[in-house]
Amino acid sequence: MASVHESLYFNPMMTNGVVHANVFGIKDWVTPYKISVLVLLNEMFMSKRMTLLERRRLNKLILPLQQGPDLTLGQLLKTIDECCPKTAYAVKIRLYVMAGEELTDMESFFYGLLRPFGDLDSESCKTSVVGLFIRHMHLAYNKLSFSQVYKLYTALQHYCNGHCSPGPDGKPSLSASAIEDTDMELTNTEDTIEGKLEKEELHSAPLHDSELVNEDAPSRGPLSQKQAEYFLARQAYLLKNDENKALKPAALQEELNNMLKFNPDFAEAHYLSYLNSMRVQDIFISTHSLLHYFDRLILTGAEGKSNGDEGYGRSLRYAALNLAALHCRFGHYQQADLALQEAIRIAQESNDHVCLQHCLSWLYMLEQMKGSDSSVLTEDSVRMAAHFCLPYLASLGIQSLVQQGAIGGKAANKLMDALKDTDILHWKHSLSELIDISLAQTTSIWRMYGKSTMALQQAQLLLNMNSLEPVSFGVQQNNTEAFAVALFHLAELHAEQGLFGASAEILQHLKEQFPPHTKHAELWMLCDLKIQFERAMNDGKYHLAEPHVKAIAALNQTEGLYRKALVLKAQNQTTEAYKVLQQLQQHCEKTKCTEMIIRVMLSTAELHWESSGFATALPLLLQALALARQHHLQSLASETILHLAFSQLMLGIPEQALNILHEAIEPILAHGAVIHKGRALLLVAKCQIAMAGAPPGDHRRAALDMAVQTLDEAAAYFSRLGCKERLREVHYLQAQVHLSLGHVPERNKCTMLFRLLDQELPSSGASLITRL
């Protein structure tokens, strides 16, 4: 960690023990952009034809224009035009007239600035946002010397000429650097040698190179302190709550580099650069910016002023802690552990219990990421967080324990009671973010337990709940991981019910809300691929499902291996499929992934069916059923019962198969996917046909009539999914039953449908009657 300390102590702005002065504040006076804003305010005062809605829109626009960074004339006019086109045109004409006339026109404009207020001692002139801004500009203009007024007038001409096409005289416009020098000269009465040297140092020591930087972007002048703070606050808020409304990564990095060029000691800009580089998973730039943030925070004395001598050590502690979190994010567990141990050591030396508690929270999260059992550490973290009155960390610890309990097979009622207690804590302390996480976690737990109706309810509750977070910049908090998880579950639940159009709309919203470069994009990518894979498998088009296997494996190796085994099994490559399943089961036993272990057991049992080893599959299925019931996985338990019933049917005991089917049919019809409902009813029909018996009679006819009704229901479910392979099997059985009942027209219709599907689909290696 010596290199980390060296980076923290290094400050390129220190020479001979003297820190250069802050270069912010050089644009607090009059600029061409500020004149444009003044012209807008003047037009708003004088205009009498403006509608109430247009005036309201312009009033909401005033503060961002005053506090935000300088805009080009084209950008400014476009912004005004969206609110009131007539005012935008009037501002444009007024600026062109002012720039095209003599200097006296600009002077008369400033002398008449305060006329709309009437009395200069009025409260509106003294205290309103517009009044203070106009008074500030008026006083700043009066302080300018004659040469500075002329330079301001020249800058205004170039500002207007940069928007319109060159005039007939072909007069060239100034370069960006020249305009920047002009702006700086307007605010400095004398350009000292020290100022020139400082400017040369700033330009000769550029920031680090990055792929995020757009080298073709024009250079912009420095911002005022208020403009910079407003810009950083707005972009940080948008990155947290709605990333799509923030600047693109390259554009934002360009703005930050331009800002840091004029003030490399601006710590908040380094931190926003760290957040921006995390958007594109740039480990180098994110580490660099994070270290420089704490470097500047320490050397500028920001922490020391508010916390005394503790400020320096506090920054070092949290610098190491943030570095550990950064390495955790990128999967560098060894480096994260080293940084975390250093943070713990510094916190213990300073007796900082709050920092130690944060370190303990990251410690159990790091153990979870490594795949180790962290329940003891988590319980200690919750106990200590409650002792030091840290409800946020205590709630996070309880939610982590609930997640571990769900994976470990705890009963649902105990987990829901624990989440209910945390919800009380959240609402008591208005922890909006943790309320969202709790609802998303509840959705995932109900989904894992096979209660799709409850999962759907919790997801809808999260999406329709009003956030407790204050709304700033007109943006609600809707791009967090909790929202991504809820939408992910909604997309899969709709696809399971055959509502592929609704599922596609949800996925499209996810793609717009979480672009591919964002950290939560992996959720919708995996969801989209899984849905496409299932549709291809249901259609019997295994050649279309194969390409999705590699894409799924790139996002989730376990899911990719499982689906590779499914494709191999469907293509009758039994030996290869068995090897993949065995490899996957060994991996899941190490990672304690119970759900996948049960699915592997079910697929292995199906491989035994291919060689008519129905008796061999029974012990494996019983083991899977015991595991599913132990972990309260109702969906997987019902699916296992279907496999057991099918094995018993093929072993010649349809009565026993039908008896155990009654145990699984109710939860499947209530919470199961459409494919599982169809398979369950198809199996019930097979049992009813097998129990009808050979000798003719009323009992046989009644049993076959029931089988026809059951097959019709199964066909409706398979038709909703477009599952042609299953429909082919249903039509085959329908034709056989109608033939036994003597229904010739119905038999011919089902035979024709079977024939059409059989010609369209490739022939299956297994007999239709021996498939679940």
Side-chain angles (χ1 to χ4, degrees):
M1 297 301 291
S3 59
V4 175
H5 282 164
E6 290 172 0
S7 177
L8 285 171
Y9 294 149
F10 172 70
N11 183 1
M13 290 297 294
M14 284 195 77
T15 53
N16 298 326
V18 178
V19 183
H20 291 304
N22 193 336
V23 297
F24 281 131
I26 63 174
K27 275 197 149 185
D28 278 335
W29 288 281
V30 188
T31 63
Y33 170 73
K34 298 286 181 63
I35 294 177
S36 304
V37 177
L38 291 173
V39 170
L40 169 62
L41 294 173
N42 189 66
E43 291 295 330
M44 290 177 62
F45 284 132
M46 299 302 179
S47 177
K48 297 181 180 179
R49 295 178 296 174
M50 193 181 302
T51 65
L52 182 62
L53 180 61
E54 290 174 340
R55 188 172 296 277
R56 185 180 300 165
R57 290 173 179 171
L58 288 173
N59 286 337
K60 293 174 65 176
L61 187 64
I62 290 174
L63 192 60
L65 289 180
Q66 291 182 20
Q67 294 182 340
D70 289 6
L71 303 176
T72 64
L73 182 57
Q75 294 171 333
L76 177 63
L77 293 176
K78 181 181 178 182
T79 305
I80 301 173
D81 186 72
E82 293 174 355
C83 301
C84 182
K86 294 181 181 179
T87 305
Y89 180 74
V91 170
K92 179 180 178 181
I93 296 300
R94 185 73 179 88
L95 284 172
Y96 284 165
V97 170
M98 189 185 302
E101 297 294 334
E102 296 180 355
L103 186 59
T104 54
D105 188 70
M106 187 178 73
E107 289 184 356
S108 62
F109 170 75
F110 274 95
Y111 288 146
L113 269 181
L114 299 176
R115 287 177 188 168
F117 290 98
D119 186 9
L120 297 183
D121 295 329
S122 63
E123 287 299 320
S124 60
C125 185
K126 287 183 177 181
T127 60
S128 69
V129 174
V130 174
L132 289 174
F133 176 72
I134 293 179
R135 285 167 59 89
H136 182 70
M137 293 297 103
H138 188 265
L139 291 173
Y141 181 80
N142 289 336
K143 290 182 179 180
L144 296 179
S145 64
F146 178 79
S147 61
Q148 290 174 331
V149 170
Y150 181 75
K151 289 176 182 178
L152 174 62
Y153 176 70
T154 306
L156 179 63
Q157 288 181 322
H158 291 299
Y159 183 73
C160 295
N161 291 336
H163 173 64
C164 63
S165 56
D169 56 352
K171 183 179 178 180
S173 61
L174 289 177
S175 63
S177 60
I179 295 175
E180 178 184 310
D181 292 339
T182 303
D183 289 341
M184 293 184 68
E185 288 177 359
L186 289 174
T187 61
N188 292 277
T189 55
E190 46 181 48
D191 195 1
T192 61
I193 299 177
E194 180 182 357
K196 292 182 179 179
L197 291 175
E198 178 178 314
K199 193 187 304 181
E200 290 176 1
E201 287 179 4
L202 289 173
H203 286 284
S204 63
L207 294 175
H208 53 268
D209 295 330
S210 171
E211 295 179 358
L212 294 173
V213 177
N214 183 9
E215 296 180 355
D216 298 330
S219 176
R220 293 181 53 182
L223 305 177
S224 69
Q225 182 75 30
K226 291 181 180 179
Q227 286 178 328
E229 290 175 353
Y230 177 83
F231 174 79
L232 294 178
R234 176 181 175 82
Q235 292 301 316
Y237 183 86
L238 292 177
L239 286 182
K240 179 180 181 292
N241 295 287
D242 194 350
E243 189 174 322
N244 291 331
K245 294 186 178 180
L247 291 178
K248 299 297 181 184
L252 179 55
Q253 192 65 35
E254 177 65 27
E255 293 287 342
L256 292 173
N257 285 349
N258 182 68
M259 192 179 298
L260 291 169
K261 178 176 68 175
F262 292 98
N263 184 11
D265 285 338
F266 198 21
E268 288 78 5
H270 284 288
Y271 192 78
L272 187 59
S273 176
Y274 155 69
L275 295 178
N276 186 48
S277 58
M278 291 292 284
R279 298 166 70 188
V280 293
Q281 307 295 313
D282 191 330
I283 178 65
F284 173 76
I285 303 299
S286 57
T287 307
H288 175 95
S289 300
L290 181 64
L291 294 179
H292 275 277
Y293 164 69
F294 284 100
D295 180 8
R296 267 56 183 185
L297 201 64
I298 293 170
L299 293 176
T300 55
E303 287 290 325
K305 292 176 182 178
S306 59
N307 297 287
D309 295 335
E310 280 296 313
Y312 178 81
R314 185 176 185 274
S315 294
L316 286 181
R317 295 194 292 276
Y318 283 97
L321 183 58
N322 278 273
L323 189 61
L326 175 65
H327 285 302
C328 281
R329 171 75 180 276
F330 287 100
H332 306 156
Y333 300 137
Q334 185 176 2
Q335 293 90 331
D337 189 54
L338 290 174
L340 200 55
Q341 294 301 328
E342 181 174 2
I344 292 173
R345 180 182 59 79
I346 301 175
Q348 286 176 338
E349 292 175 355
S350 303
N351 200 24
D352 188 345
H353 297 291
V354 176
C355 184
L356 281 172
Q357 190 55 43
H358 280 87
C359 292
L360 183 57
S361 299
W362 274 106
L363 192 60
Y364 74 71
M365 290 180 65
L366 182 59
E367 292 299 319
Q368 287 181 17
M369 293 176 182
K370 292 179 181 178
S372 305
D373 184 14
S374 61
S375 57
V376 177
L377 280 175
T378 310
E379 290 174 1
D380 291 341
S381 175
V382 172
R383 192 180 305 110
M384 296 302 294
H387 175 72
F388 289 110
C389 298
L390 301 172
Y392 190 92
L393 293 180
S395 179
L396 279 179
I398 294 173
Q399 289 178 346
S400 180
L401 284 173
V402 168
Q403 181 179 352
Q404 295 177 47
I407 297 173
K410 297 287 185 181
N413 60 335
K414 295 182 179 179
L415 299 182
M416 294 305 163
D417 286 342
L419 286 177
K420 181 187 68 176
D421 295 337
T422 60
D423 286 340
I424 295 174
L425 194 65
H426 300 158
W427 289 104
K428 180 180 178 181
H429 296 278
S430 299
L431 301 175
S432 176
E433 186 177 359
L434 291 183
I435 293 173
D436 297 343
I437 294 174
S438 178
L439 288 172
Q441 190 175 46
T442 307
T443 303
S444 301
I445 291 174
W446 282 126
R447 183 89 191 284
M448 184 187 72
Y449 284 149
K451 305 289 186 180
S452 60
T453 307
M454 295 299 299
L456 185 64
Q457 181 193 51
Q458 293 296 312
Q460 293 286 0
L461 181 61
L462 170 59
L463 296 177
N464 288 280
M465 187 184 68
N466 293 326
S467 176
L468 298 178
E469 290 287 337
V471 179
S472 300
F473 307 107
V475 174
Q476 289 276 6
Q477 182 179 4
N478 60 355
N479 74 329
T480 59
E481 186 178 11
F483 281 90
V485 170
L487 290 169
F488 161 79
H489 285 304
L490 280 180
E492 284 200 336
L493 288 170
H494 281 81
E496 286 178 358
Q497 300 304 318
L499 305 174
F500 295 110
S503 177
E505 290 181 6
I506 296 172
L507 285 173
Q508 182 61 33
H509 176 72
L510 276 167
K511 292 175 184 178
E512 294 173 357
Q513 196 65 36
F514 303 94
H517 66 267
T518 58
K519 59 182 178 180
H520 303 316
E522 183 180 323
L523 288 172
W524 64 256
M525 291 180 181
L526 185 59
C527 177
D528 192 17
L529 289 170
K530 286 164 70 175
I531 292 174
Q532 294 181 40
F533 175 86
E534 294 297 337
R535 295 190 70 177
M537 293 293 288
N538 290 339
D539 290 342
K541 300 176 182 178
Y542 308 128
H543 63 286
L544 297 179
E546 265 188 291
H548 298 311
V549 172
K550 293 182 180 178
I552 292 173
L555 296 171
N556 190 314
Q557 184 180 6
T558 304
E559 293 284 349
L561 273 177
Y562 175 65
R563 279 160 176 75
K564 179 181 179 180
L566 293 182
V567 173
L568 291 174
K569 181 169 68 67
Q571 294 174 341
N572 298 315
Q573 300 181 34
T574 309
T575 306
E576 291 80 1
Y578 183 78
K579 290 180 180 178
V580 173
L581 287 173
Q582 292 303 306
Q583 176 188 353
L584 181 58
Q585 185 168 356
Q586 292 175 2
H587 171 72
C588 293
E589 286 173 352
K590 291 180 180 178
T591 57
K592 298 180 181 179
C593 185
T594 309
E595 291 181 84
M596 188 57 70
I597 291 174
I598 296 173
R599 290 195 177 97
V600 169
M601 288 180 175
L602 298 181
S603 298
T604 307
E606 292 175 3
L607 289 179
H608 288 301
W609 295 347
E610 300 292 337
S611 57
S612 300
F614 298 102
T616 313
L618 285 177
L620 196 61
L621 292 173
L622 290 172
Q623 183 181 355
L625 180 60
L627 199 57
R629 286 177 172 171
Q630 178 186 349
H631 288 78
H632 308 282
L633 306 176
Q634 185 186 70
S635 177
L636 288 175
S638 301
E639 192 173 348
T640 308
I641 291 175
L642 291 185
H643 284 70
L644 279 169
F646 183 76
S647 298
Q648 291 178 335
L649 172 65
M650 300 311 297
L651 290 172
I653 44 176
E655 297 85 357
Q656 184 64 27
L658 194 58
N659 287 335
I660 67 171
L661 268 177
H662 289 308
E663 181 184 348
I665 196 72
E666 184 177 343
I668 288 177
L669 293 178
H671 301 285
V674 170
I675 185 67
H676 295 152
K677 294 176 183 178
R679 288 171 62 190
L681 291 174
L682 177 58
L683 184 55
V684 170
K686 289 180 180 180
C687 292
Q688 291 170 344
I689 294 171
M691 291 173 62
D698 294 339
H699 173 72
R700 171 180 169 79
R701 190 173 188 84
L704 292 179
D705 285 336
M706 291 180 60
V708 169
Q709 295 178 5
T710 309
L711 287 171
D712 289 340
E713 292 181 24
Y717 284 125
F718 291 139
S719 298
R720 191 189 300 180
L721 281 179
C723 189
K724 298 179 180 179
E725 189 177 20
R726 302 286 180 181
L727 280 172
R728 177 175 63 175
E729 184 176 355
V730 170
H731 293 322
Y732 173 81
L733 289 174
Q734 284 176 326
Q736 293 288 341
V737 174
H738 284 304
L739 178 62
S740 301
L741 292 172
H743 301 162
V744 178
E746 290 82 358
R747 182 208 64 181
N748 293 340
K749 178 183 177 181
C750 294
T751 304
M752 181 192 67
L753 293 174
F754 169 78
R755 182 63 176 168
L756 292 174
L757 290 174
D758 194 54
Q759 289 176 345
E760 182 181 350
L761 298 173
S763 60
S764 178
S767 174
L768 289 177
I769 202 66
T770 60
R771 295 173 65 94
L772 175 57

